[in-house]
């Protein structure tokens, strides 16, 4: 009965928050995070405690596969350089900066725990930014970079998270060994994803040849796809996240050659609904767990809130500091690059730097932290979840609500910048 009550309450709250987001014209993740805070003050509602590994499995693969499905392959290829700089370089820098800040300011945070937290809060989430971009007709190049970055950086952050968590468990870390392992894990995950995509394509082609063409059957196969890529990759100890991403990109690109338009439209609708529900699930679940977290932090909640604010400022400042060197330095190092790809105007760079809201992936990873480390409780688990929630609240609400006015103030829109639209193929952001 308690599980049924949780489900009914969850769906009812999702509807109310979605209507409120539509009414107030704000991205729905902002409404969900505020709703999650509201749920933390409610009483007499059962508070579920899902297993940490279940959260990663049920939330992360379908989210990233869905994002990969809707990503334009040609945009990824055209913007490979800036996407790599942000999705790998900026994630690593953010993780290191957060680790340094938290290690030297927060008591009892060892280096492995500090790097684990840094990996959790390092990847931005594109959902809120994309909703604002769509409403304001932002130049397509900015949208493509933010979308591609948020697709790849989740995989980077999760691989780094695994290494940091392993160091926290074993107490041993080797940078050289971890660097080699990072490349192997990433490449292995991508290969598994590509193989899975080709296998699923062969299965779908066989089903269609046998005359069983049904959009519902195709949609179910696509729902299974992220798990079909993720689970074998994890069993082989490579990146299941990159497997889900690469499978999503390849299947999306090739599906138009063997899937009819009705099946593609239905599959896209299914993924939009699933991503919507998963976002709501993560934000509301953190709201249900927040009272226990605050109780574990008492009587120092105010101090930890200030630490959380400091970490939020850190991730915002690091991104703002990154956008300008990443735009100018490659043009100083590569002859002729500045002539072929002129650097974008500084207002576009500022908008790109302000688009780093954290969201569901960070929450899902934080909630998936193990309860125990060996036979002892996992150190600082409640603190790490609370810090993650603070970073998500500050970046999502503060940056999310100010990004639109910032774009309008700078006039960084397609309609206001006709020259940008006409020359979009010759201007790169980074």
């Amino acid at each position: 009965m308690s599980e049924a009550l949780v489900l009914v309450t969850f769906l009812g709250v999702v509807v109310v928050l979605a209507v409120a987001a539509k009414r107030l014209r704000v991205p729905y993740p902002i409404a969900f995070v505020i709703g999650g805070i509201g749920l933390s003050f409610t009483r007499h509602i059962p508070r579920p405690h899902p297993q940490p590994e279940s959260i990663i499995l049920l939330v992360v693969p379908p989210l990233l596969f869905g994002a990969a499905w809707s990503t334009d392959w040609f945009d990824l290829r055209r913007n490979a350089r800036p996407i790599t700089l942000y999705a790998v370089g900026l994630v690593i820098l953010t993780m290191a900066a957060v680790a340094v800040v938290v290690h030297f300011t927060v008591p009892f945070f060892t280096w492995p725990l500090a790097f684990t937290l840094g990996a959790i809060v390092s990847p931005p989430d594109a959902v809120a930014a994309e909703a604002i971009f769509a409403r304001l007709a932002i130049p397509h190049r900015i949208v493509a970079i933010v979308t591609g970055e948020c697709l790849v950086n989740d995989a980077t952050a999760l691989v780094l998270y695994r290494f940091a968590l392993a160091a926290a468990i074993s107490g041993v870390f080797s940078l050289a060994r971890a660097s080699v392992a990072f490349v192997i894990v990433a490449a292995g995950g991508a290969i598994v994803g590509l193989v899975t995509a080709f296998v699923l394509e062969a299965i779908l082609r066989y089903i269609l040849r046998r005359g069983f063409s049904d959009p519902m059957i195709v949609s179910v196969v696509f729902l299974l796809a992220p798990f079909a890529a993720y689970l074998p990759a994890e069993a082989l100890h490579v990146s299941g996240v990159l497997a889900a991403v690469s499978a999503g990109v390849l299947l999306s690109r090739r599906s138009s050659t063997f899937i009819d338009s009705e099946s593609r439209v239905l599959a896209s609708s299914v993924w939009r609904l699933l991503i919507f529900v998963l976002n709501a699930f993560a934000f509301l679940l953190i709201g249900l767990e927040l009272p226990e977290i605050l109780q574990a932090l008492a009587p120092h909640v105010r101090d930890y809130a200030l630490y959380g604010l400091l970490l939020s400022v850190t991730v915002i400042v690091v991104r703002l500091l990154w956008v300008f060197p990443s735009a100018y330095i490659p043009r100083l190092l590569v002859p002729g690059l500045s002539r072929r790809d002129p650097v974008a105007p500084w207002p576009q760079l500022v908008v790109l730097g302000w688009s780093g809201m954290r969201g569901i992936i960070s929450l899902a990873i934080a909630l998936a932290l193990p309860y125990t480390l060996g036979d002892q409780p996992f150190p600082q688990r409640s603190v790490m979840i609370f810090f993650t929630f603070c970073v998500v609240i500050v970046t999502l609400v503060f940056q999310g609500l100010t990004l639109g006015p910032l774009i309008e103030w700078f006039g960084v829109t397609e309609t206001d910048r006709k020259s940008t639209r006409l020359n979009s193929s010759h201007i790169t952001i980074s």
Side-chain angles (χ1 to χ4, degrees):
M1 184 62 183
S2 62
E3 289 80 3
L5 179 59
V6 170
L7 178 61
V8 172
T9 303
F10 167 77
L11 293 176
V13 171
V14 168
V15 172
V16 171
L17 294 175
V19 171
K22 197 76 173 178
R23 174 70 174 174
L24 298 174
R25 298 186 64 190
V26 299
Y28 62 80
I30 296 178
F32 288 153
V33 74
I34 295 174
I37 296 173
L39 270 187
S40 66
F41 295 100
T42 59
R43 298 182 179 181
H44 310 301
I45 294 181
R47 304 185 182 275
H49 296 283
Q51 292 299 315
E53 60 271 14
S54 300
I55 296 175
I56 288 285
L57 175 62
L58 296 178
V59 173
V60 174
L63 268 179
L64 296 184
F65 183 91
W69 176 269
S70 61
T71 298
D72 189 331
W73 162 255
F74 297 103
D75 281 342
L76 280 177
R77 189 175 63 180
R78 274 195 302 266
N79 298 288
R81 185 184 66 255
I83 287 174
T84 302
L85 287 173
Y86 283 89
V88 180
L90 181 55
V91 167
I92 294 174
L93 178 63
T94 304
M95 179 187 70
V98 170
V100 170
V101 171
V102 75
H103 178 73
F104 288 109
T105 59
V106 183
F108 310 115
F109 254 84
T110 63
W111 279 116
L113 292 178
F115 276 104
T116 301
L117 178 62
I120 292 173
V121 300
S122 60
D125 187 355
V127 174
E130 286 176 340
I132 297 169
F133 291 163
R135 190 172 72 242
L136 296 174
I138 199 77
H140 180 72
R141 185 62 61 89
I142 296 179
V143 180
I145 291 177
V146 172
T147 303
E149 171 202 357
C150 293
L151 177 64
V152 181
N153 67 11
D154 293 330
T156 304
L158 276 160
V159 172
L160 295 174
Y161 164 79
R162 300 285 190 186
F163 283 120
L165 190 62
I169 294 173
S170 65
V172 178
F173 179 77
S174 169
L175 180 60
R177 189 173 300 174
S179 300
V180 174
F182 178 87
V183 175
I184 295 174
V185 167
I191 292 171
V192 171
L194 296 177
V195 171
T196 301
F198 282 117
V199 170
L200 291 176
E201 178 184 343
I203 293 173
L204 285 171
R205 287 184 182 274
Y206 174 80
I207 291 174
L208 297 176
R209 283 199 308 269
R210 301 292 293 181
F212 301 118
S213 178
D214 187 328
M216 298 299 293
I217 295 176
V218 173
S219 297
V220 171
V221 173
F222 284 136
L223 281 176
L224 291 173
F227 306 103
Y230 180 87
L231 292 174
E234 289 294 311
L236 294 172
H237 303 291
V238 295
S239 175
V241 176
L242 274 173
V245 169
S246 57
V249 171
L250 185 60
L251 275 177
S252 176
R253 185 186 179 195
R254 295 180 59 84
S255 61
S256 59
T257 64
F258 63 93
I259 299 296
D260 59 85
S261 58
E262 182 183 357
S263 298
R264 283 183 58 85
V265 169
L266 180 59
S268 298
S269 299
V270 167
W271 282 113
R272 283 198 301 269
L273 176 61
L274 184 60
I275 291 173
F276 180 85
V277 173
L278 289 176
N279 270 277
F281 167 77
F283 286 115
L284 298 183
L285 181 60
I286 194 71
L288 292 175
E289 292 203 358
L290 192 57
E292 293 186 8
I293 294 173
L294 295 177
Q295 185 177 2
L297 300 182
H300 304 292
V301 175
R302 178 178 173 275
D303 295 334
Y304 284 116
L306 292 176
Y307 289 137
L309 180 61
L310 175 62
L311 295 178
S312 303
V313 172
T314 299
V315 300
I316 293 173
V317 171
V318 167
R319 184 179 180 89
L320 288 173
L321 293 177
W322 177 265
V323 293
F324 291 97
S326 66
Y328 288 101
I329 291 178
R331 287 164 177 79
L332 296 176
L333 298 178
V334 180
L337 180 60
S338 181
R339 183 180 63 257
R340 296 192 305 271
D341 291 322
V343 69
W346 69 266
Q348 292 191 20
L349 297 177
V350 173
V351 169
L352 186 61
W354 202 250
S355 303
M357 289 83 79
R358 271 57 181 176
I360 183 173
I361 296 296
S362 293
L363 284 180
I365 303 174
L367 291 171
L369 284 168
Y371 289 110
T372 59
L373 189 61
D375 56 353
Q376 300 292 326
F378 190 91
Q380 309 294 337
R381 183 180 189 273
S382 296
V383 176
M384 295 173 75
I385 295 176
F386 180 73
F387 284 162
T388 303
F389 193 50
C390 290
V391 172
V392 169
I393 290 176
V394 173
T395 58
L396 192 58
V397 176
F398 174 58
Q399 289 186 288
L401 293 179
T402 57
L403 180 60
L406 184 70
I407 292 171
E408 293 179 331
W409 186 41
F410 282 142
V412 184
T413 60
E414 291 278 354
T415 53
D416 292 336
R417 301 185 60 86
K418 294 182 180 179
S419 61
T420 298
R421 181 173 68 251
L422 293 174
N423 298 295
S424 61
S425 61
H426 302 290
I427 295 178
T428 54
I429 302 298
S430 175

